[in-house]
């Protein structure tokens, strides 16, 4: 088991939520945090609430590094409109997030690996950077040599989740596009996300 996979299981228990809504989440068996003090409950401070909101959102997208996540916050602040909505739109425009939404991979972690191993092209060009920013109208396609992968077929046929309406995909061709940048209410998060609290955390 890789460190990345181990981290995935620990994130759920640390945050005490089934972050990706998966049946295999360890939280389904133990609804408390890890360690000998995991079952203790105490009311979090305002800072704690904001920190938890940040950790949930950051963890959901494959445990993005703090440095990169802060850059997304800064970009969200530069854009016009609601900063929290801007942040969600940026995160959902990542290539690995789009590949996950298109059901080309079963998890966000697998999606990141799928991209970094060179299985995906954007507008006909191979892209191996999971954080690559997809624009509305860009065509995302699984490369020809990768379309026979058993894991790809399994992920696309999984009934565990649906493809959201801001993404268009053809699973017979394993290709699709980003139709529009989504807002918070459009994204099918299994748990409540509070991007405005994330903005407050960084604005302190």
């Amino acid at each position: 088991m890789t460190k990345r996979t181990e981290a995935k299981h620990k994130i759920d228990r640390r945050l005490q939520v089934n972050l990706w809504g998966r049946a295999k989440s360890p939280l389904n068996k133990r609804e408390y945090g890890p360690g000998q003090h995991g079952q203790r409950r105490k009311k979090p401070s305002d800072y704690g609430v904001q920190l938890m909101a940040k950790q949930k959102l950051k963890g959901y997208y494959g445990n993005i590094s703090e440095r990169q996540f802060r850059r997304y916050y800064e970009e969200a602040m530069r854009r016009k409109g609601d900063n929290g909505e801007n942040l969600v739109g940026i995160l959902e425009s990542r290539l690995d997030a789009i590949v996950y939404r298109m059901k080309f991979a079963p998890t966000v972690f697998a999606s990141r690996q799928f991209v970094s191993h060179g299985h995906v092209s954007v507008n006909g060009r191979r892209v191996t950077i999971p954080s690559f920013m997809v624009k509305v109208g860009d065509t995302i396609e699984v490369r020809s040599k990768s379309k026979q992968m058993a894991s790809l077929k399994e992920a696309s046929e999984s009934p565990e989740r649906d493809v959201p309406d801001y993404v268009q995909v053809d699973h017979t061709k394993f290709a699709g596009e980003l139709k529009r940048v989504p807002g918070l209410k459009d994204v099918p998060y299994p748990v409540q996300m509070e991007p405005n609290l994330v903005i407050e955390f960084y604005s302190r």
Side-chain angles (χ1 to χ4, degrees), residues 80-91:
K80 295 180 179 180
D82 183 273
N83 296 326
E85 294 283 340
N86 290 343
L87 180 59
V88 168
I90 291 169
L91 291 168

Side-chain angles (χ1 to χ4, degrees), residues 18-22 60-61 88 92 97 100-103 108 160-167 180 182-193:
N18 186 350
L19 194 56
W20 300 279
R22 303 208 75 204
Y60 180 84
Y61 289 95
V88 168
E92 283 292 312
Y100 176 64
R101 294 298 180 209
M102 289 182 170
K103 296 178 68 174
V108 289
E160 202 170 66
R161 56 194 173 87
D162 298 320
V163 176
D165 63 3
Y166 53 88
V167 173
R180 59 184 174 83
L184 176 61
K185 63 180 176 51
D186 303 314
V187 182
Y189 292 122
V191 299
Q192 183 181 5
M193 292 295 184

Side-chain angles (χ1 to χ4, degrees), residues 18-115:
N18 186 350
L19 194 56
W20 300 279
R22 303 208 75 204
K24 294 182 180 179
S25 171
L27 201 74
N28 293 335
K29 294 181 180 179
R30 294 174 290 184
E31 295 184 352
Y32 51 85
Q36 67 182 88
H37 304 301
Q39 298 186 58
R40 292 184 180 179
R41 301 277 182 170
K42 62 179 182 179
K43 186 176 180 180
S45 63
D46 289 345
Y47 171 83
V49 170
Q50 294 167 357
L51 177 63
M52 181 68 72
K54 186 200 74 164
Q55 297 294 67
K56 280 198 302 182
L57 195 61
K58 187 172 77 165
Y60 180 84
Y61 289 95
N63 212 17
I64 296 171
S65 72
E66 179 63 26
R67 184 177 181 181
Q68 190 169 45
F69 198 71
R70 189 175 185 88
R71 283 206 303 266
Y72 292 150
Y73 154 75
E74 292 169 352
E75 175 60 27
M77 295 295 286
R78 280 194 292 267
R79 296 185 181 184
K80 295 180 179 180
D82 183 273
N83 296 326
E85 294 283 340
N86 290 343
L87 180 59
V88 168
I90 291 169
L91 291 168
E92 283 292 312
S93 296
R94 285 173 55 104
L95 181 56
D96 56 356
I98 298 295
V99 167
Y100 176 64
R101 294 298 180 209
M102 289 182 170
K103 296 178 68 174
F104 292 162
T107 69
V108 289
F109 295 94
S111 177
R112 177 179 294 175
Q113 187 177 60
F114 193 71
V115 174

Side-chain angles (χ1 to χ4, degrees), residues 121-127 132 135 137-141 176-177:
S121 66
V122 178
N123 297 330
R125 297 183 62 182
R126 182 185 183 210
V127 178
F132 177 87
K135 298 177 182 177
D138 281 353
T139 299
I140 296 88
E141 184 174 10
E177 68 175 66

